[in-house]
Amino acid sequence: MPPYTVAELAERVAGSVEGDAERTLTGVAPIAEAGPAHLSFIQSDQYRRLLDAARPGAVLAPPGMEITRPDVTVIRVPDPQVAFGRLVELFKPPPPPPVGIAESASIGRGARLGADVTIGPYAQIRDGARIGDGCHIGAYTVVGESARIGRGCRIAHGCSVLHDVQLGDRVVLHPGVRVGTDGFGYAEGPSGAEKVPQVGGCVIGDDVEIGANSTIDRGSLGDTVVGDRTKIDNLVHIGHNVEVGSDCMIVAQVGIAGSVKIGDGAALAGQVGVAGHLEIGPGARIGAQAGVIGDVPPGAVYSGYPARPHREALRASAALFRLPRLVQKLQALERAMNARANGPQASDDDGKKRGTGS
């Protein structure tokens, strides 16, 4: 990895340089750990305070943020975190995937592989599957019958892309992802729960990324759909016939029950639970650990359980935290009222008891 000058890095992210544009950098690091040959970034005042004790060679910073350190070169960009992410791979490129088809891989009848496809050891490409140009299929991954995988996809080891699933172009599946598993469909029969056949499909759009050990069920009749550019974190479950729009963000341990519709650009924070057959509008934001049991309007910010507008949830939480003190005050008030109502009689009774005892 060659070193880069600040000017070269700034050109790659369309930034402007303040300071020594010819300074040479050899790596990237968090602001608190950066040294004179490192590039880092400052997104907010919290990071700027860390700069006082750090010694980075250069930092990416937003316009207007004051930086008074003359020894630090600054690259001004609108979004330092995004720009930093684009520059990281210059210094830390991902390891290249192996090339070719492993001898232990299994290719079924009628399967079609595009150009420059890599199939890892013990992977199974089953009958009728189609894999687009430039895809990488990791070791022990299963691509089911008649599945369709677009161009430039990266499917890590140990994944399952089951029968009739469709992946768009440039989809990334991290280890252990399961796409197209049976939905949780049962009906109450005379002898208990009877399974309802899950015969729908699962369609994943272009540029979707799905984190490790996440599961996306196929539809019971129609399709489960994930829109273009949506990003899904680790350990997320998406139930049958869910429709997730484009450009959504779904964070770790979210559970979405069947037939939910999530609009474009919505974001669900960690451990959100969504009950079935609901709608979350475009651009909505759901706070961590919220329990969604009703529809969420477009653009709304909800949190808490049951999920409600965020300000309302904060007021409810604040009131709940005051409850122990309020209970203590009520108990003290009750004792005072009882003493006032029964004071003379209570005093005579106490005197008799003391006299008897002597």
Side-chain angles (χ1 to χ4, degrees):
M1 294 175 295
Y4 295 91
T5 66
V6 171
E8 290 171 331
L9 297 175
E11 183 179 0
R12 288 176 179 269
V13 293
S16 60
V17 178
E18 297 174 5
D20 183 5
E22 297 305 314
R23 181 191 289 266
T24 298
L25 303 177
T26 60
V28 293
I31 187 66
E33 303 172 14
H38 288 142
L39 172 71
S40 191
F41 73 98
I42 300 175
Q43 186 77 14
S44 64
D45 287 338
Q46 177 183 0
Y47 287 90
R48 187 176 63 173
R49 289 192 293 270
L50 295 174
L51 180 61
D52 295 337
R55 293 291 181 269
V59 294
L60 296 149
M65 177 178 284
E66 184 179 4
I67 297 176
T68 58
R69 290 273 301 277
D71 58 320
V72 176
T73 299
V74 180
I75 303 174
R76 298 287 183 180
V77 288
D79 192 322
Q81 188 171 17
V82 170
F84 186 73
R86 292 173 180 169
L87 296 175
V88 164
E89 288 190 350
L90 292 177
F91 298 99
K92 296 183 179 291
V99 177
I101 299 175
E103 291 184 4
S104 57
S106 173
I107 311 298
R109 294 189 305 272
R112 294 171 56 182
L113 308 182
D116 302 318
V117 168
T118 295
I119 310 293
Y122 300 102
Q124 296 185 33
I125 312 301
R126 295 188 173 166
D127 297 351
R130 296 185 182 181
I131 299 176
D133 297 345
C135 286
H136 170 73
I137 310 298
Y140 296 98
T141 284
V142 174
V143 178
E145 291 82 358
S146 300
R148 301 289 186 269
I149 296 177
R151 295 169 296 178
C153 294
R154 295 290 180 266
I155 301 178
H157 58 273
C159 293
S160 300
V161 180
L162 300 181
H163 61 279
D164 300 315
V165 166
Q166 299 180 44
L167 304 187
D169 296 337
R170 300 172 301 281
V171 172
V172 176
L173 305 185
H174 290 273
V177 168
R178 312 292 185 222
V179 182
T181 50
D182 269 9
F184 193 70
Y186 294 89
E188 190 65 32
S191 57
E194 295 186 7
K195 185 175 179 64
V196 176
Q198 305 290 294
V199 297
C202 187
V203 179
I204 309 297
D206 296 341
D207 299 296
V208 171
E209 185 164 352
I210 303 175
N213 294 323
S214 290
T215 59
I216 302 179
D217 291 344
R218 67 177 58 251
S220 56
L221 288 176
D223 293 333
T224 301
V225 178
V226 176
D228 296 344
R229 299 175 300 281
T230 284
K231 312 303 180 186
I232 298 171
D233 199 358
N234 302 336
L235 298 170
V236 169
H237 173 70
I238 297 177
H240 57 195
N241 295 102
V242 170
E243 297 179 17
V244 180
S246 301
D247 300 295
C248 293
M249 300 288 287
I250 301 177
V251 186
Q253 298 182 7
V254 166
I256 303 172
S259 300
V260 169
K261 294 184 178 181
I262 300 176
D264 296 345
L268 280 64
Q271 295 187 333
V272 165
V274 184
H277 300 271
L278 300 179
E279 291 193 22
I280 296 175
R285 299 288 185 268
I286 313 296
Q289 295 190 325
V292 182
I293 60 174
D295 293 344
V296 177
V301 180
Y302 272 43
S303 63
Y305 182 84
R308 66 197 89 174
H310 183 56
R311 291 184 179 275
E312 181 182 331
L314 291 177
R315 289 194 295 268
S317 295
L320 183 63
F321 293 148
R322 292 195 298 269
L323 188 58
R325 184 175 298 178
L326 292 174
V327 170
Q328 291 175 354
K329 289 182 177 180
L330 286 173
Q331 290 173 340
L333 180 60
E334 183 180 26
R335 288 193 297 269
M337 293 178 64
N338 288 339
R340 179 177 296 179
N342 303 318
Q345 181 66 37
S347 297
D348 291 343
D349 291 344
D350 289 344
K352 291 177 181 179
K353 289 177 181 178
R354 287 194 296 271
T356 304
S358 61

